[in-house]
Amino acid sequence: MKVAVYPGTFDPITLGHLDIIRRGAHLVDKLVIGVTTNPSKEPMFSVAERLAMVRREVNGIPGQIEVVEFDSLLMEFAEAQEATAILRGLRAVADFEYEFQMAGMNQQLNDDIETVFLMADVSLQPIASKLVKEIARYGGCIDKFVTPAVAEDVRRHLNGSR
Ligand code: ADP
């Protein structure tokens, strides 16, 4: 069984992430979405909220998809999940350097696990969770970047923290 791991912060999950998940799930027998605790990024949503959000949003996407929390080294997580590939989405040149470095270092940690890059649909490529949060904080409309349920979660979160 071919298993791939798609790691990320998903704070919040966007239409770009969902497109990568749809494409990735199509390529493997099982896609494990790894939701990082990543306290260094000071996420808007707790890991429990992000797990619930990602689970709700991937419901209905064809394929075997699991959503799992992790706070270990990515390679250790991938090994524990018996994955043969790590899936990452590539947006623009800006993503490239970081992704290139991470893939290179991960390859040295475990050369049996390949990092595979997918591109989201061209219309979804500019979407970034960070900008979604910024737009929402200034009262802008985020409906083109996330699902209606996620937009509602972000609005509720911002109203709650005012
Ligand atoms: P991380 O903290 O690991 O960067 P993110 O949740 O920001 O986590 O992103 C997870 C993965 O999804 C990364 O590989 C990122 O490049 C990719 N990604 C995020 N948004 C998009 C998008 N709009 N199109 C393609 N890939 C994306």
Side-chain angles (χ1 to χ4, degrees), residues 24-84:
H26 190 68
L27 293 176
V28 293
D29 300 309
K30 181 166 89 171
L31 183 66
V32 179
I33 305 177
V35 179
T36 59
T37 46
N38 214 343
S40 64
K41 279 203 171 178
E42 296 185 11
M44 170 182 265
F45 294 97
S46 70
V47 69
E49 287 172 318
R50 283 179 282 132
L51 279 168
M53 207 187 284
V54 174
R55 283 196 182 115
R56 182 190 69 208
E57 297 300 325
V58 301
N59 192 8
I61 295 183
Q64 193 183 340
I65 302 177
E66 269 176 32
V67 186
V68 179
E69 168 183 348
F70 85 103
D71 64 359
S72 61
L73 203 60
L74 175 56
M75 268 304 167
E76 280 171 13
F77 176 66
E79 282 162 16
Q81 296 295 326
E82 298 182 352
T84 50

Side-chain angles (χ1 to χ4, degrees), residues 27 33 38 43 65 76 80 101 105 109 112 115 139 151 157-158 160:
L27 293 176
I33 305 177
N38 214 343
I65 302 177
E76 280 171 13
Q101 215 170 7
M105 291 187 71
L109 292 177
D112 294 329
T115 303
H157 202 281
L158 289 172

Side-chain angles (χ1 to χ4, degrees), residues 6 8-10 16-17 41 88-89 91 95 99 120 124-125 127:
Y6 178 44
T9 315
F10 306 105
H17 291 129
K41 279 203 171 178
R88 296 291 286 174
R91 284 167 291 198
D95 275 348
E99 295 290 344
L124 304 174
Q125 283 181 21
I127 304 177

